[in-house]
């Protein structure tokens, strides 16, 4: 599948036909099962100043927090008891001491016997290696956009080239890597979405998340327009065709721009992952990547899976 074919699928193919192709590919390669990853947003501290993100260091209106080790373990237990097959630990960049996080990872793996995925931004190679040794299996680091100039404008002081170097380092260390990008970013050439898909394919990612851009009021892009659910669904369907081996989430951002059926439509478009949140309630409003975030619960995830005609097997408590 080349760039011209991807562009045709994204912008010219009738959506019903595109979704049918994606659904067929999903059935053949992945079956009906939906993976459920339990997301714990354990710290909103971040050193970066990405122009779209509410966690940016210069956002002085945001109350900062970091969960204790015990709070993370308690949330992890609740996630696994309710059926999560993986724990995803997410934070801002350089939020915590690497050795402290290694201890948390080791505790989760030893106590709950489930995989741990990290989403904590760009870090030194030594930290990646430490966490891998502690038991982390996967690492999510979205490339955000394949347009290097746009990336630089949105991430002051950082480059897409360096981002990709970190992803390659993670793969060298034995992680299963995940990436992803936003649909409808301010300044995004819609045609560059084809480059995002091709980059994810070239990286051979195990997971790729594509969600709509949603503004956050306390950022420089706070008055921008959100990306559309419709375009996001088309991107998901093309990702399923271009990366048939990959796990694709129906993102929380998709559930936010279309609360009634965004994630169900995402599953029907080729996604096979949901990520309900298990961040303790009192911290949830402070993990504010974007405004009006739809907090997807396990109950919501189960209902979405059922409405989409898909399956999820509850693992016995270990």
């Amino acid at each position: 599948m080349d760039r011209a074919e991807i562009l045709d699928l994204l912008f010219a193919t009738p959506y019903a036909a595109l979704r049918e192709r994606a659904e067929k590919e999903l059935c053949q390669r992945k079956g009906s099962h939906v993976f459920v990853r339990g997301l714990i947003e354990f710290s909103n501290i971040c050193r970066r100043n990405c122009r779209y993100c509410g966690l940016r260091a210069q956002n002085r209106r945001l109350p900062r927090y970091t969960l204790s080790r015990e709070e993370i373990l308690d949330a992890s237990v609740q996630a696994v008891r309710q059926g999560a097959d993986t724990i995803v630990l997410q934070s801002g960049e350089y939020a915590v001491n690497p050795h402290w996080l290694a201890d948390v990872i080791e505790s989760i793996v030893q106590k709950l016997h489930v995989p741990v995925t990290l989403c904590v931004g760009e870090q030194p190679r030594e930290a990646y290696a430490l966490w891998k040794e502690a038991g982390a299996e996967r690492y999510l680091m979205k490339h955000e956009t394949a347009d290097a100039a746009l990336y630089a404008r949105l991430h002051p002081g950082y480059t897409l080239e360096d981002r990709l170097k970190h992803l390659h380092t993670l793969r060298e260390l034995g992680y299963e890597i995940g990436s992803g990008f936003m649909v409808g970013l301010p300044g995004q050439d819609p045609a560059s979405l084809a480059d995002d898909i091709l980059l994810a394919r070239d990286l051979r990612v195990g997971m790729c998340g594509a969600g709509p851009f949603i503004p956050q009021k306390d950022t420089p892009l706070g008055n921008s327009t959100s990306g559309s659910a419709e375009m996001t669904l088309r991107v998901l369907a093309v990702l399923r065709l271009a990366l048939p081996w990959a796990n694709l989430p129906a993102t929380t951002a998709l559930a936010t721009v279309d609360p009634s059926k965004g994630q169900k439509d995402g599953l029907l478009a080729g996604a096979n992952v949901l990520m309900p949140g298990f961040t303790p309630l009192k911290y949830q409003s402070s993990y504010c990547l974007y405004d009006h975030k739809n907090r997807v619960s396990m109950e919501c995830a189960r209902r979405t899976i059922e409405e989409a005609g898909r399956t999820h097997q509850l693992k016995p408590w270990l």
Side-chain angles (χ1 to χ4, degrees), residues 81-236:
R81 279 181 172 164
Q82 292 185 41
D85 51 53
T86 298
I87 297 298
V88 180
L89 299 178
Q90 185 178 61
S91 73
E93 195 166 280
Y94 275 56
V96 295
N97 179 282
H99 291 278
W100 178 89
L101 183 55
D103 177 64
V104 170
I105 294 164
E106 188 172 17
S107 297
I108 292 172
V109 171
Q110 290 182 353
K111 182 174 183 177
L112 302 178
H113 309 288
V114 293
V116 171
T117 297
L118 298 177
C119 181
V120 296
E122 295 180 15
Q123 304 281 348
R125 182 187 180 97
E126 295 76 15
Y128 296 147
L130 177 67
W131 298 332
K132 187 71 175 64
E133 184 177 355
E137 296 184 16
R138 305 171 187 141
Y139 204 106
L140 307 181
M141 185 185 292
K142 293 184 178 181
H143 67 263
E144 305 294 13
T145 174
D147 181 335
L150 179 58
Y151 185 97
R153 292 199 300 273
L154 295 174
H155 304 84
Y158 296 87
T159 67
L160 178 61
E161 180 182 9
D162 284 342
R163 189 69 150 192
L164 299 181
K165 286 179 181 178
H166 279 270
L167 283 165
H168 288 301
T169 296
L170 288 161
R171 167 160 284 150
E172 290 170 4
L173 290 170
Y175 284 95
E176 177 185 327
I177 61 170
S179 189
F181 52 95
M182 282 184 277
V183 178
L185 275 167
Q188 182 181 66
D189 178 352
S192 72
L193 292 170
D195 299 321
D196 285 306
I197 293 169
L198 288 169
L199 177 56
R201 187 178 70 180
D202 291 345
L203 289 168
R204 296 290 296 182
V205 296
M207 189 283 283
C208 187
F213 163 78
I214 303 173
Q216 204 285 319
K217 61 181 176 57
D218 297 319
T219 70
L221 300 181
N223 293 322
S224 302
T225 302
S226 295
S228 74
E230 292 77 14
M231 193 66 230
T232 302
L233 294 173
R234 295 186 73 91
V235 168
L236 265 176

Side-chain angles (χ1 to χ4, degrees), residues 248-292:
L248 307 179
T251 64
T252 303
L254 186 56
T256 300
V257 297
D258 186 354
S260 65
K261 58 184 180 65
Q263 287 193 309
K264 183 187 78 171
D265 286 348
L267 293 179
L268 295 174
N272 67 323
V273 175
L274 293 177
M275 296 177 65
F278 289 90
T279 304
L281 181 61
K282 66 180 179 179
Y283 301 109
Q284 289 179 6
S285 63
S286 295
Y287 202 86
C288 189
L289 300 175
Y290 50 82
D291 287 336
H292 312 298

Side-chain angles (χ1 to χ4, degrees), residues 26-102:
L26 175 70
C27 183
Q28 291 177 344
R29 295 295 293 261
K30 294 289 188 178
S32 65
H33 181 73
V34 176
F35 295 104
V36 177
R37 319 301 199 192
L39 176 64
I40 302 170
E41 300 148 326
F42 69 91
S43 179
N44 68 351
I45 296 171
C46 190
R47 66 171 180 169
R48 291 175 73 134
N49 277 300
C50 303
R51 289 174 56 81
Y52 52 81
C53 182
L55 304 193
R56 64 197 317 266
Q58 291 179 1
N59 183 3
R60 306 303 182 193
R61 298 182 180 181
L62 185 68
R64 302 292 173 166
Y65 74 89
T66 298
L67 301 186
S68 68
R69 175 182 178 276
E70 290 69 28
E71 286 175 315
I72 296 173
L73 291 176
D74 287 347
S76 299
V77 168
Q78 290 303 314
V80 173
R81 279 181 172 164
Q82 292 185 41
D85 51 53
T86 298
I87 297 298
V88 180
L89 299 178
Q90 185 178 61
S91 73
E93 195 166 280
Y94 275 56
V96 295
N97 179 282
H99 291 278
W100 178 89
L101 183 55

